[in-house]
Every structure is written in C-alpha cells, then in structure tokens.
Amino acid sequence: MTNQRNATERLISKGRELVKPVVHGVARRALPVVERASGTRYVRERNAGGATRKVKPGGTTKKVAADTARSYRELATVLKGRTSAEVDGWTSAPTKKETEAKLRELRRLQAGSILAESLISGSSLGVSMVDSARALIDAGRHGEVVSMGLNLRQRPEHTQIGRALLGMAYHRSSDSEVAWAEFERVKDRELIISAAAEYYPTALDTLGAEALPLIEQSNQTGDTERWTSKAVLRTAESAFCIDAFEHVRTLAEDRLAWEDDKLEPAIRYELSRMLDWLPGGVHLQPLTTTPGKRNFGVLSYDQPGIRSRNIGDYIQTVASIGHLVRYENLKFTGDSGLTELLTKLRGTVKTERKYSGAEAELNLVEVYRDGNVYQDIPEDTWYIAFGWYMHDIFGKSFNIPFHPNLRPILLSVFVRYPEMLTPDAIAYLKKYGPVGCRDWQSVAVLRAVGVPAFFSGCLTTTIDTLYPSHGPDRRSGTLQVDWLKGGKGPKKKQTVTAIRDKSFPENLELARSWVSDYAYKYKNVLTSRLHANLPARSVGANVEFEPKNKSDSRFGGLYGINDAEFDAIRTGILDKLAVIIPLIASGASEEDIYAKWVDITEADMAVADAYLAEANLPDASSSEISSAIDAIERPRPETGTTDVYLSVSKGENNLVSALASSIDDYATGSYRLWVASGALGTKQIDAIRTNLTRGTINVLESVNYPGINDADELVQALLPAIFADHDRLVVLPAAADVSADITELSGTELGTSLLGAKRDVRKTRTSGLTLMRRIASAFKDDHEGALDFVFASHSTLTEDFIVFDPQVSVLNLTRLRSEGIVERVIGLLKTVGINYVDSLQVAIGGRYTEFDTEWNVRAHWETVDSPKIVNWRGQSRHRGHMALVP
C-alpha cells in the first residue's frame, strides 16, 4: 500500500476514533449526538481478559476525557469547517452538526485517496474517476460529481468519462431517463464495466426488455465476469422487476459459482435468496390445499426484496386470526403449521367473543402481503388484506394488482406510497372496494384518485379476542418498547432481526408472546410504536404513546383518541368481519360477498363523505389581498412587449446583472424585466438598465401582508393581482443563464392550463400526493392541523399529478385570477407556513402545461445538449459558469 494511502487511512481511522463520545457525567446528555455521528457506542469501562476494574471517579476519568477532546480538536482543525474550541471533554462535547461535517470531510478525503490509489495501481483515468465518483456520491457529495462530470464532458478527450460520471450522479438523484440520456452515449467498454452497478440498472429501468440485449452482449464478451458483485446484484434486481427471470438466473448462478473468498457473504445471501423467487423456486411450489374446500389466506411478510423483521407485522396477523378461531364450528385444513397454531389459539378465545356459527371448513394458505404475485396461489383464495401497502420490491415496483386468484377484503389498509396507485392498481382497488383504511390520510389519498374508501382503524384493536382474563389483574411495572424519553423499566425493540430465520408459525407464536406481556405481565407500556400502542391498549394495559412525529401519515385518527373512539374502532371491525367471515366460510359467491361488503360499509362511507365535504383550505379573502396592493401602481401591458418577473432569493442579487445581459443578448423583441422592491440597490438597477439594448428593468412597488415575511415569495404569490391587466407573465430565477429568445418561451401554448412549467425530474418530487403528505408530516405536534390539511388538499383532486418546477414558468394570469389561485396561495403561505413553490403545487395540482426540458435545465439533476435556460438555484454554481454543451 502506498504511503499516501497509509496516511489517509490513518487520518480516517483516527477521525472515527476521536469522534466517539468523550464525556459522561454532566456531559452524558451529549452522548446520543456523538454516538449517532460516529456510529460507535461509548464504553465507560473496558475489562481486559474478563477482569473487573473500577474506574476512579476523580481526576483519571476527567484527564482521559480532556486528552481525548484535545486530540479531537487537533485533528478537526486540519479539516474544513468550524471547529469548536469549547470541547473540554467534561462539560461539553462536539455538536452533532460539527461532527457530521468533519465526517463528511473525512469521506471526501477517502474518495480522493481512492482516485490516487487507483491511478497509482495502474488503472485508467476513467476507471479511477468512476471509483472516486462513487465514493463521493456515497458520501453525499452528489454536486461535486456533477461538477466533475460537466467539466470533463466539455473536454473532447474526456467527454466519455464526463458522461459516465453524470450518469452515475443522476442514477442516484433523478428519473432513470435522465441518467440514461448520459449513459447511452458512453461507448467506452472499460467505463461501462466500471460503472456497471449504475449503467445496467439504469438501462433496464428506462428501456425495460429493450435493454436485455445489452446484458446478453456483456455475457457473450465475458464483460459480466469483470463486473463487481454489487453490479451483478443491482442488475439482477432491475431485471427481476421486469420479469426477465432467465437473465436473473444467469447473472445470479454465474456469480454464485465464485469462490467464497471472492464473493461477499451478504451478496451471496441476496443472490441465493433471489433464486428462490424465480420460476421453479421454493416460493412457487404448490401450496397445500384440500379439494372442495374454500381457501383462506393468512397474511405473511416475505417478498423478493426484503423479509419483514418488525414483530408488529406479525401482531397484526395474530389479530386477524382471532376473527377466524372465534367460530367454534369452523374447522381448518391445509398448511399444517397454520392449522396447528389456529387449533391452539382457539382455546384462548374470550368467552364473550365466541360464536358457534354454521359448520364449515377453510383451507389455510400462507399469502405474502408484498410478494403474492410470485406465489402459486390456488383459485378462490379469500383473505383479509390489511397493513402497510406497499413495501416496494427492490425500490422499483409494487405487488399490486395482487395475484389474480386472490379475493381480498380490504380492511385496515395503510397506503404508504401514493406512487403505488398506478391506473391498474386504482382499477383493482375500485373493483374490490370500498377500502377500509387504517388511517385517515389513506382515506384521503384513495378518495383523491377515485377509489371508494373509509376509515376503519387498525385490526390490532381487536387482538384482545385471544387474551381472556385469568382472574385478578396481577400486572405490575413498566415496559418500554422503542421508547424515546428514557425512564425506568425493561426495554424492548420491535425490530427483531432473528425473525427472518424463523418459520411463519414461529413468528406468529413470538408475536403472540409479545402481546401476552402486555396482557398479563406489565401494567404500563411506554412506546413510540403504533403496533405496541394499539395491541397493549386492546388488552387493557395503560399506554403512553409518543411517536417521533405525531403528524406521521400512519397515525391519522389513531393518535390522541379516547377510550370511546378506540372502542368504536374495535367494534366496527368486529361487526364487519362477523358478517363477512361466515359468508366466506359458507361458500357464498364472490358477487354476494362483495355486495354485502358494500352494504355493511355504507355508513362508514357516509362519514368519510362528510369529513371530506367539510374540509377547506385556508384561502385568504379577496378584500385582504386588495388592501395589500390597492395603494401600489400596477404595471400596464404594452403591445408586443414581453414581461418577465425575476425572482431574487437571498444571496442572488449579484446574479441579476448576468441574467439580464443574457436575456438581452438573445431577445428579438422588446421586453420588460421586473424585480421586487428591495431586491436590488439603486446603483445595481442603474447599471443593469444602462447595459440593456432591447428592454428595461423596473422595480415593483413594495407590498406587505400580515403573517408573510419573505418579500419575494409574497410578490410571486401576488403576481396575478399585481399584473391585473396582463394575460401572461414569464417568471425566471435570478440564478439562471439564458441562451434563447425569451419571447419564444412567453409564446408557449397554454390553452386552459393555469401555467406552463417543466415537470420536476428529481426522484423525490414525482408525486403531488406524496408532496402533500410530506407537507402534512411537517406539522409535527399539530396532528389535528395535519389531518385538516390532508382532507382539504385532497378533497378537490380526482387523480395524482406530477410535481412541476415553477422557478421557470409562464403564468396564465387570466386563468389564475379566475380560479382564485392568489387567495389560495396567500392563505397557505400565511396559515400553513409552507413555501411559495409548495403552496403553488397544492393550488395548481396538475393543471399545467409541460414545456420542453430545454427551457429549465437544473444541472444537479439533468443535462441536455442545447439548453435554453440553465437554472442554478439551490445548486453549486460550477466553476467558470460552464455551459452544459460538450
């Protein structure tokens, strides 16, 4: 190993060691912060060879802490960023912000070390750059990789390297199409092999089956053997999600043939597990059935991507079993493990919950919640479809519609990702609805896309069916389950890795024992977990429920409810399934069962109707808006002149001159630029005005509105009212470079759309419903306000929409005024407290026209060969204001 590599590794190793907690006693409050930053645990005493050794309470411990703190400062001062001088090792520790910043800088040094070591060892520049870029991306330095990619792409001799780096960066941050636009132009085989972990998954995610010849070619040339094992795994995952199972098999089996010392154990495990899900694998083996008996599914939690290790999932299944075993004349066949377990649980049913019922028999089968499409499900299999829908498969696809042989009773459903609601999924849910939702946010989401839905609450409220009283209540003490506040009492974590190695019946037994502790052992339960809270409350424990975020979408209608509301949820679920389960067991037809389901949920649907009908977003009044702008002089339109509002965020005032010059350079007609009052100084305005040849720059008069402090955001919200006589207005950010005629953008055909903009290409901004959920989650402790916002923002929607980027936009001012968008955006800015961009998303929804990518290129997330506007807002402005053209 080289001296440079040794030195860097020593630096990184020392850094990791010294960011460990350096205090205890008075400074113990700082311990969790440093632990999180360093990924270590603080050990106060180390016992050599098992011997017990007491640490002196006085000067020795204090001296060690102080020496460690001094060493930390000596190391930290050579790294970029502020280093606190107040870290004394006894009463204060480094802040979380500081330690994380130092760790980021250490990772950046590590990436540089990878580049140098790779070059020293004889690798090509391209391969070395790919390895280093991957390390930077993993360290959160995405923008730096984009900068390198842009820099290299514009140099003819390094264009291929630049495109490979950009493809890698966009693979992590943007739509697959954006990344593939770079990757598909990389022809250097060495670069493709070194970037295989990003290149081939991107190709499959973008092109689907059309990308399979690329893999076949790599196999034929022997290139696949040179891929990293991680590249094989990631490519196999993408191939699996497009059902290219033979390609998956080839990739997995070839790599599994490697010797153990060449293949990481974790990747060997994942590839072996993937083979089990292919045709002929264990998961497609025929399930045990009894001829002539109706099949009933018991929900399990395996799928190709990951198997649940949350005991709360299995607690839900135990609760569902209670609705079967309460019928004394209902017999079970099929899966031997399940039949034995249900026979055992039948003996634990509360006397008051028992029903004789008609004699019938159900054949039990295990049904995977998130992976049932990969099972051999027998025909006419009914089941209660409850819980978290969906856990995606390899982060790419969802198991919905479910297996065609399944007949779901959709009850206690939580919709985690609105992105799962594809047209096929929506049609499927409509067919088998109404959907009983565990939380009110899921009701709102499903209603927004046209799926009939109502609030049912959680199935675990009924788990007390299986926990009868055994005499006097002898519970005592307090149990903490993922409790965040500390205190006395034993502690448990609901995430149990060991359950992945147990059979399904064993995990159900384990879940049953967890709830037994709530029912018979502990008087009090402190928890941040929903599926510790509700089951413990169901069996009569005193529960204090404090989740990390009370406005989390999982908790709408389940946090802060009183005993009467809790009992109403439990009774509602018991009553509904008391009708449906016997009907299924009797062999009733599908039509009759779903007709009855519609009938017994009618009242709950009416409640949901009423809740949504009462919901309204906090619109500002027209009179308040008039008061804010009546005193100002409003611009008058001029024939043949394009009006452009320049949005100037904090720190962008020095960019306006360059933007104005670029607009002037390409303009073919007259234009007027407008900025908010106070955005620029008088001298700046005069200097810009002097340099313009085809247009002018003007300052809008100052406006104020109570409760809104950001001047630029207020002006943008008021633009339709300020430009009251205009039909159209172009909006540009100050941090933009223009290389086209702005009047061309102004002429965008809008029709009845409210504005023209480009869809947001970032992976985290694909769904409007997801954005609204994220906004609601930010309400934190105001969980009631979060619910009100969800109801109101979803109540007028008929479908999800793709989020747009309004930073570069063409406003249809006439339509915006007639639709009351100003009142809505101002109301959201003032009352909800979200920013202008998100407020506009909520107000506009999907009513916009998407214009060409070239008119708004955001280099951190995309590039094009001939950009008309490059938007640098919120991004590092690359050296030399480099163009995106190679």
Side-chain angles (χ1 to χ4, degrees):
M1 185 177 288
T2 67
N3 290 335
Q4 177 183 349
R5 180 66 174 267
N6 277 324
T8 304
E9 291 295 339
R10 284 198 300 272
L11 180 64
I12 293 168
S13 177
K14 187 67 174 175
R16 288 172 178 157
E17 179 66 25
L18 293 180
V19 295
K20 293 179 181 179
V22 296
V23 295
H24 59 93
V26 175
R28 185 171 294 170
R29 59 185 172 77
L31 180 58
V33 170
V34 186
E35 281 185 349
R36 286 193 298 270
S38 64
T40 63
R41 299 290 298 181
Y42 179 52
V43 182
R44 284 180 289 171
E45 299 181 13
R46 294 186 180 225
N47 298 327
T52 302
R53 179 173 61 87
K54 292 185 178 180
V55 177
K56 295 180 181 180
T60 302
T61 303
K62 187 170 183 178
K63 183 178 184 302
V64 169
D67 288 346
T68 305
R70 183 169 55 255
S71 298
Y72 167 81
R73 284 196 301 271
E74 289 175 356
L75 172 70
T77 51
V78 303
L79 299 171
K80 288 184 179 179
R82 180 181 178 276
T83 302
S84 173
E86 289 76 39
V87 178
D88 61 9
W90 193 250
T91 61
S92 62
T95 65
K96 178 182 178 181
K97 183 177 181 180
E98 178 180 320
T99 52
E100 288 182 344
K102 301 300 183 183
L103 285 170
R104 283 195 299 272
E105 184 61 23
L106 284 169
R107 294 188 186 103
R108 187 184 189 202
L109 288 172
Q110 187 176 32
S113 172
I114 290 172
L115 174 61
E117 184 65 23
S118 183
L119 289 170
I120 291 168
S121 66
S123 295
S124 68
L125 175 63
V127 171
S128 301
M129 291 296 297
V130 165
D131 292 342
S132 178
R134 186 176 290 118
L136 283 170
I137 292 170
D138 290 342
R141 298 276 185 168
H142 167 266
E144 294 181 13
V145 177
V146 171
S147 291
M148 291 192 302
L150 290 175
N151 194 348
L152 292 167
R153 200 186 74 162
Q154 70 178 355
R155 302 171 186 268
E157 69 275 22
H158 297 316
T159 296
Q160 290 277 289
I161 301 175
R163 290 197 181 279
L165 265 56
L166 289 171
M168 292 171 64
Y170 298 149
H171 168 79
R172 184 70 63 91
S173 67
S174 308
D175 284 350
S176 62
E177 291 85 355
V178 175
W180 185 244
E182 297 297 331
F183 272 143
E184 70 175 338
R185 296 166 76 175
V186 176
K187 306 304 178 185
D188 186 312
R189 298 306 302 170
E190 291 297 317
L191 283 173
I192 292 173
I193 291 169
S194 61
E198 298 84 12
Y199 179 93
Y200 289 97
T202 299
L204 289 164
D205 295 346
T206 306
L207 305 177
E210 293 180 11
L212 294 176
L214 295 173
I215 299 175
E216 294 163 2
Q217 179 187 8
S218 184
N219 289 336
Q220 292 165 2
T221 59
D223 288 351
T224 309
E225 282 294 307
R226 299 171 58 197
W227 294 4
T228 65
S229 294
K230 187 173 183 179
V232 170
L233 176 61
R234 295 291 176 254
T235 304
E237 290 173 348
S238 289
F240 189 99
C241 290
I242 63 169
D243 296 340
F245 297 134
E246 289 310 308
H247 290 77
V248 174
R249 193 185 306 279
T250 298
L251 288 167
E253 290 180 346
D254 287 352
R255 190 51 52 112
L256 288 170
W258 281 25
E259 299 293 334
D260 287 344
D261 61 342
K262 294 183 179 179
L263 181 60
E264 301 93 316
I267 291 181
R268 182 177 294 278
Y269 170 82
E270 292 297 337
L271 289 174
S272 299
R273 189 172 180 277
M274 200 180 300
L275 289 177
D276 290 340
W277 290 90
L278 298 180
V282 297
H283 296 288
L284 267 173
Q285 297 302 312
L287 300 176
T288 303
T289 59
T290 305
K293 305 299 180 184
R294 171 160 271 177
N295 304 303
F296 197 91
V298 181
L299 209 60
S300 180
Y301 303 97
D302 209 352
Q303 61 121 301
I306 193 170
R307 187 182 184 193
S308 172
R309 57 193 179 97
N310 182 356
I311 200 67
D313 285 335
Y314 295 93
I315 289 173
Q316 292 177 84
T317 298
V318 172
S320 74
I321 289 172
H323 294 275
L324 297 175
V325 298
R326 64 188 296 206
Y327 296 98
E328 295 178 303
N329 290 328
L330 183 59
K331 295 180 174 60
F332 307 106
T333 61
D335 186 294
S336 59
L338 290 175
T339 55
E340 289 174 11
L341 177 63
L342 267 67
T343 300
K344 180 179 179 180
L345 293 180
R346 170 164 279 156
T348 68
V349 176
K350 281 181 172 181
T351 302
E352 61 270 29
R353 295 276 171 83
K354 292 181 179 179
Y355 283 98
S356 296
E359 289 193 4
E361 192 169 344
L362 290 175
N363 181 75
L364 300 178
V365 296
E366 180 182 356
V367 171
Y368 302 143
R369 179 188 61 190
D370 303 320
N372 56 67
V373 293
Y374 304 108
Q375 289 182 275
D376 185 14
I377 302 290
E379 292 184 5
D380 193 34
T381 298
W382 292 77
Y383 76 122
I384 308 170
F386 55 83
W388 174 317
Y389 286 94
M390 303 290 298
H391 284 73
D392 53 50
I393 297 172
F394 301 128
K396 301 175 188 297
S397 63
F398 297 98
N399 175 53
I400 186 168
F402 307 148
H403 193 287
N405 288 345
L406 285 172
R407 298 295 175 265
I409 299 299
L410 294 155
L411 182 67
S412 191
V413 167
F414 167 54
V415 178
R416 176 62 182 92
Y417 299 109
E419 290 88 345
M420 68 174 256
L421 298 172
T422 63
D424 286 345
I426 292 170
Y428 183 84
L429 295 173
K430 286 180 177 180
K431 178 180 179 180
Y432 292 114
V435 180
C437 296
R438 195 171 79 187
D439 60 285
W440 273 109
Q441 280 93 334
S442 293
V443 176
V445 165
L446 290 176
R447 290 286 187 108
V449 296
V451 174
F454 64 92
F455 175 71
S456 68
C458 186
L459 201 65
T460 58
T461 58
T462 68
I463 202 168
D464 63 313
T465 296
L466 300 175
Y467 294 89
S469 173
H470 296 318
D473 189 345
R474 301 186 185 280
R475 288 177 286 190
S476 63
T478 299
L479 175 66
Q480 302 180 54
V481 181
D482 291 296
W483 183 242
L484 307 174
K485 295 185 176 181
K488 295 181 179 180
K491 299 176 176 64
K492 296 177 76 173
K493 288 187 176 294
Q494 201 166 274
T495 299
V496 184
T497 301
I499 65 180
R500 289 180 175 171
D501 300 321
K502 296 179 181 293
S503 70
F504 182 38
E506 286 174 335
N507 284 329
L508 294 177
E509 284 277 24
L510 179 62
R512 180 172 171 264
S513 70
W514 271 63
V515 182
S516 292
D517 281 350
Y518 308 149
Y520 305 123
K521 188 173 182 179
Y522 294 103
K523 183 177 183 178
N524 306 302
V525 175
L526 309 178
T527 187
S528 63
R529 291 280 198 166
L530 181 68
H531 289 126
N533 165 40
L534 297 178
R537 193 169 178 181
S538 177
V539 297
N542 300 319
V543 182
E544 185 174 346
F545 178 45
E546 284 296 323
K548 292 180 181 179
N549 181 3
K550 297 172 185 175
S551 294
D552 189 299
S553 59
R554 293 172 293 165
F555 307 140
L558 298 173
Y559 180 83
I561 57 176
N562 59 35
D563 289 343
E565 291 167 325
F566 185 95
D567 288 340
I569 292 172
R570 175 163 50 192
T571 300
I573 293 173
L574 285 166
D575 289 349
K576 289 178 181 64
L577 292 182
V579 174
I580 293 298
I581 296 295
L583 203 57
I584 293 172
S586 70
S589 69
E590 179 179 336
E591 292 76 13
D592 288 346
I593 293 171
Y594 282 113
K596 179 58 71 173
W597 180 246
V598 171
D599 180 52
I600 64 177
T601 60
E602 183 178 3
D604 297 279
M605 288 291 292
V607 171
D609 290 341
Y611 271 40
L612 293 174
E614 294 172 0
N616 291 291
L617 288 170
D619 293 354
S621 70
S622 299
S623 59
E624 291 174 337
I625 292 171
S626 295
S627 297
I629 62 174
D630 275 350
I632 70 170
E633 182 179 351
R634 305 183 206 183
R636 299 287 184 184
E638 293 181 0
T639 303
T641 298
T642 299
D643 286 288
V644 183
Y645 176 74
L646 304 183
S647 166
V648 185
S649 294
K650 184 178 180 181
E652 291 182 344
N653 58 313
N654 61 326
L655 303 177
V656 176
S657 178
L659 171 60
S661 295
S662 66
I663 292 172
D664 197 69
D665 287 342
Y666 290 94
T668 59
S670 64
Y671 64 87
R672 293 185 297 182
L673 307 180
W674 300 87
V675 295
S677 174
L680 302 176
T682 303
K683 290 183 178 180
Q684 287 178 293
I685 293 291
D686 291 341
I688 294 171
R689 186 175 288 132
T690 300
N691 292 328
L692 299 182
T693 60
R694 292 184 175 274
T696 63
I697 185 167
N698 309 273
V699 180
L700 297 171
E701 292 191 29
S702 177
V703 293
N704 294 287
Y705 197 95
I708 302 176
N709 298 321
D710 189 301
D712 183 60
E713 295 216 328
L714 173 59
V715 171
Q716 286 195 79
L718 291 171
L719 286 175
I722 293 173
F723 288 82
D725 298 320
H726 286 66
D727 295 325
R728 186 163 295 208
L729 181 70
V730 175
V731 176
L732 298 178
D737 290 332
V738 174
S739 55
D741 186 358
I742 206 68
T743 60
E744 182 185 345
L745 177 62
S746 178
T748 300
E749 178 59 45
L750 298 180
T752 59
S753 298
L754 302 184
L755 56 80
K758 200 192 74 174
R759 72 183 181 92
D760 202 318
V761 300
R762 291 174 289 175
K763 278 185 177 178
T764 58
R765 305 279 289 190
T766 58
S767 163
L769 290 172
T770 296
L771 172 65
M772 292 178 184
R773 176 168 285 186
R774 190 177 298 126
I775 292 170
S777 181
F779 279 61
K780 300 296 183 183
D781 287 345
D782 183 14
H783 58 98
E784 293 180 351
L787 268 184
D788 289 343
F789 172 77
V790 167
F791 292 159
S793 61
H794 289 57
S795 62
T796 58
L797 293 175
T798 58
E799 60 183 358
D800 198 359
F801 61 91
I802 296 181
V803 175
F804 59 91
D805 179 8
Q807 294 178 8
V808 177
S809 57
V810 181
L811 305 183
N812 187 341
L813 298 173
T814 304
R815 291 283 296 170
L816 290 169
R817 286 189 291 266
S818 67
E819 294 285 338
I821 300 302
V822 175
E823 290 80 1
R824 176 140 299 174
V825 172
I826 290 291
L828 290 167
L829 284 173
K830 178 181 178 180
T831 308
V832 179
I834 55 179
N835 60 34
Y836 168 74
V837 169
D838 287 347
S839 297
L840 195 64
Q841 302 285 355
V842 174
I844 298 292
R847 297 175 292 172
Y848 68 95
T849 292
E850 184 177 352
F851 52 57
D852 292 338
T853 296
E854 289 82 359
W855 283 111
N856 183 7
V857 179
R858 304 187 72 180
H860 273 217
W861 296 281
E862 62 184 335
T863 63
V864 298
D865 286 343
S866 301
K868 295 178 179 178
I869 296 176
V870 181
N871 174 8
W872 297 104
R873 175 165 287 174
Q875 306 155 78
S876 301
R877 203 170 176 85
H878 304 291
R879 295 184 183 278
H881 298 246
M882 66 177 63
L884 301 186
V885 184

